Amino acid sequence: GFILVFFIICYATPLFITVIIPMGIFYFIVQRIFVTTSRQLKRIESISRSPIYSHFQESLSGASTIRSYRKQSEFILRNESQLDYNNSAYYPSLCANRWLSLRLEIVGHFVVFFAAMFAVVSKQLSITDPGLVGLSISYALNVTMVLNYLVRMTSELEANIVAV
């Protein structure tokens, strides 16, 4: 499916081949940068999450003792502090996802732009069939979503595997 879409776009607008290779390389570079960063951020978040679980388990098992010494507020403050620390470790991960999203959307828009631009140039030169050009542009719109999903899922998979 995915390779067939690129074949149809390249068949309808042969000039698109000159753009697809650099964009593919850019997709690969962006994915490699994001995966290395995301993996480390996921690891930091996992490390900061572990004390929350252990503190919660300790609080549950010693709930009667905590209540008898009236130390609930101290345990609540400690829990909130650990949650804040975990959220501060999670925030850079959200920023990295936005970074990836921006780059992928820009490249996706360039794919659509070049497909449309080369379609217009091909039409001026009377090279291609208008129906095939319309099909290639609509496929170019869909392929950006597929590429974004593909890069995100492979990056997320690798980050989750490493950060266990």
Side-chain angles (χ1 to χ4, degrees):
F2 184 69
I3 295 173
L4 181 64
V5 168
F6 276 115
F7 177 74
I8 290 172
I9 294 171
C10 292
Y11 179 74
T13 54
L15 294 173
F16 190 73
I17 296 170
T18 60
V19 180
I20 197 66
I21 294 170
M23 286 190 186
I25 292 169
F26 184 76
Y27 261 100
F28 181 75
I29 290 170
V30 166
Q31 181 183 10
R32 289 290 95 204
I33 292 170
F34 177 75
V35 164
T36 56
T37 305
S38 177
R39 186 179 335 134
Q40 296 302 323
L41 291 173
K42 192 70 102 168
R43 188 174 290 145
I44 291 169
E45 184 201 351
S46 295
I47 290 169
S48 70
R49 192 179 322 121
S50 178
I52 294 171
Y53 292 143
S54 64
H55 181 260
F56 186 71
Q57 183 181 5
E58 291 168 1
S59 299
L60 284 179
S61 64
S64 59
T65 307
I66 294 169
R67 269 186 258 129
S68 66
Y69 285 106
R70 295 188 176 142
K71 298 290 183 178
Q72 296 99 326
S73 61
E74 290 177 27
F75 275 81
I76 290 171
L77 286 174
R78 184 172 172 199
N79 186 39
E80 288 173 351
S81 169
Q82 290 174 341
L83 285 172
D84 287 344
Y85 182 71
N86 179 258
N87 284 336
S88 69
Y90 181 68
Y91 182 72
S93 179
L94 290 175
C95 292
N97 278 323
R98 292 300 103 218
W99 179 88
L100 176 68
S101 175
L102 178 69
R103 268 80 185 157
L104 293 180
E105 287 297 321
I106 287 172
V107 172
H109 293 308
F110 275 123
V111 167
V112 174
F113 170 73
F114 283 118
M117 184 179 75
F118 292 145
V120 169
V121 169
S122 303
K123 180 65 177 156
Q124 295 296 326
L125 300 175
S126 300
I127 296 174
T128 59
D129 176 36
L132 193 57
V133 169
L135 181 66
S136 74
I137 292 173
S138 67
Y139 275 176
L141 289 167
N142 290 333
V143 81
T144 59
M145 291 186 301
V146 171
L147 282 174
N148 290 352
Y149 183 76
L150 180 72
V151 169
R152 282 189 174 284
M153 290 302 110
T154 55
S155 302
E156 189 71 24
L157 176 69
E158 187 174 334
N160 285 336
I161 287 173
V162 172
V164 170

